[in-house]
Each structure stands twice: as C-alpha cells, then as structure tokens.
C-alpha cells in the first residue's frame, strides 16, 4: 500500500431500527376502507410560505416515538417499537389487528418520515439529505452530495462480513 493512503473496513448495517424521537407513518389498508379509517391518522394541510400565501402542502400525519420507545396507536394503545425494524412493526400491528378480530385482511405499511444522512468534508455540497430507502451505499450518498471535490481523495474498499 502506498504511504499516506490508508484502507478502512466499512461495516454495512443490516437494517435500520426505530429509535426514540424517530417520526414514522403507519398506514393500514384493507378490502373494507371504512373499517381501517379508525387506524389511520388523518391527512393534514399546512400553509407554507408567507402569511396569507396560497400555497399549501398535504401529507400524512406521523407518530413520533417517545423517549421510552413507544407510540400510542389507535385502539391498540401504547406499543413499544424502539429497536424494531419497519417490517417487524408492520408484522406486529398486522398480527394484533387479526388476533383481536379488528381487521381480517390488514396490509400494514410502515415508513420513516425523517430518515436523513449527513455528508461533511471535501464534497461539492456538504449537508443533510433526506433518504427514501433503508440501505444506501457510500457511493450513493457521495453522489447525493455532488461527488468529491478535486481535493477529496478517497480510497474506498467496502467488504461484506
């Protein structure tokens, strides 16, 4: 290896787990849409821009995980979700809805609403970026930040465990 150049092993995370203060959306669907209305938070409309502006943004309300790792889900009550993956939370809620005979055919979708990555250093656009998938390579993150500058020399070796 050349002097001045080092190689660092990068571990690849298996799956992102929910943590306190994460914001997530949980949508429950079924063949009977009236039945699942009770389990879905309402869509909210917020004004953006200047006072009296006409532009607005619509989006789904989300759950903010409390300091103890819980959310208060309609009908099911307080659920501990910290340390679980999106798939584990969806499977748990689906199972509870079926076993409590609330919905026979639920489809539960769990999404992060505040999943971000911060990029600092010798890149063209350092900053914080929203990401929309659970796994990203370092190359994808660098491309979001506009690639390395001419001063950002990097030798990247990613190995799987």
């Amino acid at each position: 290896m050349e002097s001045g150049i080092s190689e660092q092993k990068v571990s690849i995370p298996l799956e992102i787990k929910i943590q306190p203060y994460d914001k997530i959306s949980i949508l429950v669907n079924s063949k009977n849409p009236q039945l699942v209305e009770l389990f879905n938070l309402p869509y909210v409309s917020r004004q953006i821009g200047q006072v009296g502006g006409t532009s607005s943004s619509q989006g789904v309300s989300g759950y903010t995980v409390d300091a103890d790792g819980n959310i208060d889900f309609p009908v099911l009550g307080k659920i501990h979700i910290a340390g679980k993956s999106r798939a584990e939370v969806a499977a748990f809620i689906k199972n509870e809805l079926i076993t409590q005979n609330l919905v026979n055919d639920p489809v539960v979708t769990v999404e992060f609403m505040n999943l971000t990555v911060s990029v600092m250093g010798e890149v063209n656009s350092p900053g914080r970026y929203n990401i929309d998938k659970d796994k990203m390579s370092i190359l994808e993150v660098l491309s979001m930040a506009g690639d390395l500058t001419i001063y950002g020399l990097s030798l990247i070796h990613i190995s799987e465990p």
Side-chain angles (χ1 to χ4, degrees):
M1 183 156 296
E2 296 178 36
S3 65
I5 298 177
S6 64
E7 184 177 332
Q8 182 179 7
K9 184 175 182 177
V10 178
S11 64
I12 299 170
L14 299 175
E15 204 167 7
I16 295 175
K17 303 290 184 175
I18 296 171
Q19 302 174 31
Y21 308 111
D22 278 348
K23 190 166 183 175
I24 60 170
S25 72
I26 301 174
L27 297 175
V28 180
N29 289 300
S30 170
K31 289 179 186 173
N32 184 348
Q34 290 177 329
L35 192 60
V36 296
E37 279 181 19
L38 181 63
F39 304 104
N40 292 323
L41 293 177
Y43 282 88
V44 294
S45 179
R46 295 189 179 118
Q47 294 297 322
I48 297 176
Q50 302 170 356
V51 176
T54 58
S55 64
S56 66
S57 171
Q58 255 192 322
V60 68
S61 295
Y63 297 90
T64 301
V65 182
D66 69 18
D68 297 323
N70 302 312
I71 60 167
D72 192 9
F73 193 77
V75 181
L76 299 180
K78 192 176 278 196
I79 301 173
H80 185 77
I81 62 169
K84 295 181 180 179
S85 69
R86 293 181 314 117
E88 290 169 334
V89 172
F92 176 80
I93 291 172
K94 180 178 181 175
N95 184 54
E96 288 296 307
L97 293 174
I98 292 171
T99 57
Q100 293 186 29
N101 210 20
L102 298 168
V103 182
N104 293 332
D105 60 345
V107 175
V108 181
T109 307
V110 179
E111 296 289 338
F112 284 99
M113 296 178 75
N114 64 342
L115 196 56
T116 62
V117 62
S118 295
V119 183
M120 301 179 292
E122 288 294 334
V123 292
N124 285 309
S125 299
R128 188 173 172 179
Y129 295 92
N130 292 325
I131 55 177
D132 59 359
K133 56 184 182 176
D134 293 351
K135 293 183 181 182
M136 290 189 77
S137 72
I138 192 153
L139 296 176
E140 290 173 299
V141 173
L142 284 173
S143 98
M144 289 171 64
D147 203 1
L148 298 170
T149 67
I150 60 171
Y151 302 107
L153 176 64
S154 175
L155 174 62
I156 301 172
H157 173 73
I158 300 176
S159 61
E160 296 185 27

